[in-house]
Amino acid sequence: MHLRSHHLGLILGTLLGVSLTACVKSERTEPEPSPSASASAAEPSPVEAFFQDDRAALTEGVYEQLIVALSTCKVTESGVEPRCPALEQLRRARSRNTVLKDLAGMNARLGKKYLTHESAAVRYQAASMMQSIFGSDEASQKLILERARSEQEPAVILALVRVVGSRVKSDAEVKQLLLEMGDHAAESVRREALGWLVTSFAEGVTEGFDKVAAKLEQDPSEAVRAYLCDRLYGSSEPRALPLLKRLLTDPKTPKKVYDGCWSGLIKTWTGFPQPKHPLKEGYELTVKLLEATPRDSEHPPWSGLSLLRAAKTEFQPTDRFGTDWYAAVKPWYKKERLLKALEAVATDSKAHWMARTSALSVMQELGTPKATFEKLHKRYEGATAGDDFQVKRRLGDVLARLGARSGPSGAGSAPPPGTPKPPPRPAAP
């Protein structure tokens, strides 16, 4: 009995020791939080780190991630939806302090890499980045032209056409592509391709102008026809003027097309930038249409009148383009006749009020004396509402800027709605 109790005590003691040892071991070996693991969980991604550091330059890895993120964006017929957050983030990144040479190299590599991505938005961006690679070698040029023909998304085709368009005169394959795309089913693609055929890059490319002239008559879209008519003299092709004259004197010409042709007519002899070869006949037809009566709400169109601000006769000596233009038009351009025609528009109550206020703005820009505006202001003195009051407001604004006392006229400092401002003169055509 005593021996049994002794053995039982040994067994119980052993078991108790094992149990306690196990508990202690369990407590000692339980993993503790690692400071390095916690820190790594909070580390920002490469893109986040890039935007957190204002001094960081854009790396190719971050740039690539931002491009792929565009797959979350929708694509319209003309490009990536402009308010897409991923696109806004990409724009911010591209504006950072990155060497242009490095950015061009990344554009070439990543553009080529993602030109066949499954996302149309990514392909559009890739196509837009291919400018630096096109023409650099035969294989790259072939790739871009092939993708333009095989691509199904209009926005991506449009981006590829923009890459190659400026080589229409120097590259027969590019010219052929533009001629083909001028018949594309998508309106945006047709407009882009045909538009390159009436630029200075296409000067002397007769097949290109022939194509545009045909589409000016036949294209099913009035918007495309208006776009082409507005730019018809961009390649300095003399045949543009007879086409413009016929469309501007044909009562059946749709309003949208007429307005485009009106701007196109003015651009045959002046505008922003000034045409390389200004046409005397374009000036004469412009003034003739301004002088024509009876005027109405559509004739003359107000939309292109602001282009006449470029028809100055005085330029700074450093403004080579302005001085060269004036030297070319000086034998036949009579500014006094133009100003007289504009004054007639400004005082014609049948003309659209925006045509009248635009005429006043051009007169001011071209140096009409203050006394003329004071005379016109008295003419509208009794206007208290309606279109005439809008003209009166504009006259008050002009007089205020000229330092005259015009009395209470409701004048404001802002130009009338819809009056476009001339863009800055480019450094080169």
Side-chain angles (χ1 to χ4, degrees), residues 134 141 145 149 164-180 197 201 205 207-208:
F134 183 75
Q141 181 167 322
L145 293 172
R149 287 190 169 96
V164 304
S166 62
R167 294 176 179 265
V168 57
K169 187 175 181 177
S170 60
D171 193 313
E173 291 187 39
V174 170
K175 179 178 69 175
Q176 184 58 38
L177 176 69
L178 296 180
L179 293 172
E180 292 173 14
L197 298 174
F201 297 105
V205 182
E207 308 99 308

Side-chain angles (χ1 to χ4, degrees), residues 122-413:
V122 174
R123 295 199 308 276
Y124 176 87
Q125 180 61 33
S128 302
M129 295 159 59
M130 298 291 282
Q131 187 70 53
S132 60
I133 196 174
F134 183 75
S136 60
D137 61 81
E138 189 174 341
S140 299
Q141 181 167 322
K142 183 179 180 182
L143 170 66
I144 296 172
L145 293 172
E146 286 178 351
R147 286 304 305 166
R149 287 190 169 96
S150 61
E151 176 62 54
Q152 298 299 310
E153 180 63 48
V156 182
I157 301 173
L158 183 150
L160 289 165
V161 168
R162 283 178 181 166
V163 169
V164 304
S166 62
R167 294 176 179 265
V168 57
K169 187 175 181 177
S170 60
D171 193 313
E173 291 187 39
V174 170
K175 179 178 69 175
Q176 184 58 38
L177 176 69
L178 296 180
L179 293 172
E180 292 173 14
M181 292 300 171
D183 293 319
H184 195 275
E187 178 179 312
S188 60
V189 174
R190 295 200 307 277
R191 184 175 62 185
E192 184 70 27
L194 294 167
W196 281 104
L197 298 174
V198 280
T199 63
S200 59
F201 297 105
E203 186 173 357
V205 182
T206 55
E207 308 99 308
F209 188 85
D210 292 341
K211 181 72 174 183
V212 170
K215 298 299 288 186
L216 194 55
E217 304 285 348
Q218 304 164 2
D219 197 276
S221 167
E222 287 186 9
V224 170
R225 294 167 60 197
Y227 181 87
L228 296 176
C229 212
D230 177 88
R231 291 155 176 77
L232 197 59
Y233 190 60
S235 62
S236 301
E237 173 56 60
R239 289 181 293 164
L241 190 62
L243 280 174
L244 290 165
K245 183 176 182 180
R246 185 178 63 76
L247 288 166
L248 287 168
T249 55
D250 185 352
K252 295 181 181 179
T253 301
K255 181 184 183 305
K256 185 179 290 187
V257 178
Y258 186 96
D259 290 354
C261 294
W262 168 244
S263 296
L265 173 65
I266 296 174
K267 290 177 182 179
T268 63
W269 67 278
T270 191
F272 302 97
Q274 302 283 16
K276 186 177 179 181
H277 304 288
L279 298 179
K280 175 184 177 182
E281 295 82 358
Y283 157 75
E284 291 178 342
L285 183 56
T286 299
V287 177
K288 184 178 179 180
L289 291 175
L290 286 172
E291 294 170 337
T293 56
R295 300 181 183 89
D296 56 38
S297 61
E298 297 180 1
H299 304 88
W302 63 267
S303 56
L305 281 174
S306 65
L307 293 169
L308 294 171
R309 293 181 178 187
K312 298 180 180 181
T313 53
E314 296 179 1
F315 297 90
Q316 294 293 331
T318 55
D319 188 349
R320 181 171 60 85
F321 297 103
T323 53
D324 288 351
W325 172 82
Y326 185 56
V329 304
K330 190 175 182 179
W332 45 262
Y333 170 44
K334 308 301 178 186
K335 188 172 75 170
E336 295 75 16
R337 183 186 174 191
L338 174 63
L339 290 174
K340 184 177 180 181
L342 289 168
E343 184 177 343
V345 172
T347 56
D348 192 334
S349 60
K350 293 181 180 179
H352 196 286
W353 71 268
M354 291 180 73
R356 287 186 270 167
T357 54
S358 294
L360 291 171
S361 297
V362 175
M363 290 167 63
Q364 178 189 358
E365 191 78 14
L366 298 186
T368 297
K370 181 174 64 177
T372 300
F373 293 111
E374 290 174 335
K375 177 188 69 176
L376 295 177
H377 190 266
K378 288 182 180 179
R379 186 184 183 102
Y380 284 97
E381 203 166 28
T384 57
D387 292 353
D388 285 354
F389 181 70
Q390 298 290 350
V391 180
K392 177 183 174 181
R393 285 188 62 188
R394 184 59 185 147
L395 279 163
D397 178 66
V398 171
L399 288 170
R401 294 187 181 188
L402 293 175
R405 284 191 173 185
S406 58
S409 63
S413 60

